[in-house]
Amino acid sequence: MTIATETKVEMKYLTKQPGYEIMPHPQHKRMYHIQLDNQLLQQFFAGCKDVSEQVLQYTPYARQVLAYQFRELFGQSFMQNIRDILNERETGGFTIGVQGQTEETEEFVKFATALTHLIGIPNFDAMTGTFYARFTVKDTDNSDSYLRQAYRLFTLHTDGTFVDEPTDWLLMMKMDEKNAKGGESRLLHLDDWEDLDKFSKHPIASVKITYKAPPSKNVQQTVERTTFYEINNKPCICFIDQFAYPETIDEAMYLKEMSESLENSPATHALKLPVGDLVMLNNTFWMHGRAAFEKHPELHRELMRQRGYFARV
Ligand SMILES: [Fe+2]
């Protein structure tokens, strides 16, 4: 007999403060949604209106100045709460947005940059040569990875598989969207996956797999990573099907079966993200992917990503 076990998630960080409110996410039991005070948001954008994207690209400390300004407005407790949420195994994710207070994508970049620098430091994104990447999905594409191929499912994976630095967290922000049906972010928290034990305790789980990036990523190095590893005694995962180069047939079959199990998991959730909203996730125990878009000749969607490591101070 199968007993359906619906995990009850304790929401420890629900709070209502003068500048913000942390509430349960309406679409996912393991995420929070954060609502900000519109007046304070306006003040944030007014306070950084002279900072251009170029300044942010050229001057690393300008990014942290944005985080400082954000913290001055929304409080030390805001920073502590989002750090705690991203570190917490039971949840590890939240959404937040500009709430219609701006439609300028340059301001979206500043908003996201303030948030990531409250959490830690973004890694260098070799695809763009700076700390973030904005990328477009259109009707036609001739790229060398699934990232910009609209009409196929982008399978569940973690980021940073082929770089030699920790990728603790990930931010994805919806910058623009026209004629886009489908294409939702697909998300899976490892603790909701029925086959976690089967694959994380498998002998191949701790075998090092080689990861290599395709040319568009501008990363020449190859790295070796185990598929599962532990943080605080809990299994974490490192996997993306496209860039893994297993040595043996057994390893290949293990990865193939694992990917199929992930794809078929009923716990995989398609998240609807409005333009101007972003999602931040712990990249060690959340997997993400993208649903296929419905065909449209004028399809246009732009996303921004930042991913990096947790602050160590
Ligand atoms: Fe990704």
Side-chain angles (χ1 to χ4, degrees):
M1 190 175 76
T2 321
I3 301 169
T5 47
E6 181 66 16
T7 330
K8 184 97 182 76
V9 179
E10 193 196 343
M11 296 255 109
K12 279 189 218 148
Y13 296 103
L14 301 178
T15 181
K16 193 166 167 49
Q17 299 292 324
Y20 66 95
E21 182 177 354
I22 304 181
M23 48 189 87
H25 198 279
Q27 296 177 51
H28 203 296
K29 66 175 183 195
R30 289 195 185 270
M31 274 202 286
Y32 294 92
H33 178 71
I34 306 177
Q35 185 85 27
L36 298 169
D37 178 90
N38 282 336
Q39 207 80 43
L40 294 180
L41 263 179
Q42 290 283 0
Q43 280 184 44
F44 171 72
F45 291 122
C48 61
K49 78 174 181 321
D50 297 332
V51 182
S52 65
E53 262 187 87
Q54 192 180 56
V55 168
L56 293 178
Q57 289 172 11
Y58 288 0
T59 318
Y61 71 67
R63 307 165 200 165
Q64 278 149 318
V65 172
L66 289 181
Y68 168 81
Q69 290 170 322
F70 205 92
R71 192 177 63 190
E72 287 292 288
L73 290 166
F74 294 95
Q76 183 79 18
S77 76
F78 177 84
M79 178 175 93
Q80 199 54 51
N81 278 322
I82 61 172
R83 286 186 176 196
D84 288 347
I85 290 171
L86 284 181
N87 274 285
E88 190 200 35
R89 175 74 185 205
E90 287 71 33
T91 56
F94 65 87
T95 57
I96 191 168
V98 300
Q99 302 176 181
Q101 300 306 304
T102 177
E103 288 175 358
E104 298 291 326
T105 53
E106 191 167 69
E107 297 201 313
F108 292 3
V109 174
K110 295 179 206 177
F111 177 77
T113 301
L115 288 168
T116 55
H117 288 79
L118 289 173
I119 299 292
I121 304 285
N123 293 334
F124 179 74
D125 196 316
M127 194 172 88
T128 52
T130 184
F131 69 100
Y132 66 97
R134 294 172 59 164
F135 51 93
T136 311
V137 171
K138 304 195 295 289
D139 182 46
T140 50
D141 170 72
N142 50 14
S143 66
D144 56 5
S145 82
Y146 295 152
L147 180 65
R148 282 166 290 209
Q149 295 179 11
Y151 303 124
R152 60 174 300 161
L153 176 96
F154 192 171
T155 44
L156 289 164
H157 63 279
T158 55
D159 271 12
T161 49
F162 51 77
V163 295
D164 199 11
E165 53 198 354
T167 308
D168 299 326
W169 51 261
L170 160 79
L171 172 149
M172 292 184 288
M173 185 167 194
K174 180 81 60 73
M175 305 294 272
D176 188 21
E177 191 166 65
K178 286 184 194 78
N179 307 307
K181 263 210 182 137
E184 298 91 358
S185 291
R186 300 167 67 238
L187 305 176
L188 176 65
H189 189 294
L190 278 192
D191 295 341
D192 293 334
W193 177 34
E194 327 64 54
D195 285 340
L196 175 62
D197 266 11
K198 176 180 163 190
F199 287 97
S200 66
K201 293 182 175 152
H202 191 284
I204 298 177
S206 54
V207 169
K208 284 189 172 161
I209 305 283
T210 300
Y211 279 89
K212 286 184 220 176
S216 68
K217 309 286 183 189
N218 303 320
V219 176
Q220 261 80 44
Q221 67 185 155
T222 61
V223 295
E224 293 196 327
R225 288 176 176 274
T226 62
T227 305
F228 287 90
Y229 58 98
E230 288 199 350
I231 296 180
N232 299 328
N233 294 322
K234 301 268 191 180
C236 296
I237 190 166
C238 171
F239 175 66
I240 183 162
D241 55 4
Q242 309 171 71
F243 311 134
Y245 288 77
E247 283 290 322
T248 68
I249 290 173
D250 284 352
E251 289 167 17
M253 292 309 290
Y254 166 81
L255 293 180
K256 174 184 181 285
E257 283 164 21
M258 183 183 77
S259 183
E260 283 171 358
S261 165
L262 289 164
E263 292 309 314
N264 294 324
S265 172
T268 299
H269 179 85
L271 182 82
K272 288 187 185 64
L273 202 62
V275 170
D277 268 28
L278 63 84
V279 56
M280 281 197 88
L281 296 169
N282 186 306
N283 184 54
T284 68
F285 53 80
W286 276 95
M287 303 191 77
H288 64 279
R290 188 190 62 221
F293 286 92
E294 285 179 28
K295 178 86 181 151
H296 195 295
E298 314 288 322
L299 167 70
H300 176 90
R301 188 189 74 167
E302 187 186 353
L303 269 195
M304 171 178 44
R305 73 173 179 215
Q306 294 187 29
R307 55 261 178 116
Y309 58 90
F310 285 130
R312 293 181 189 127
V313 282

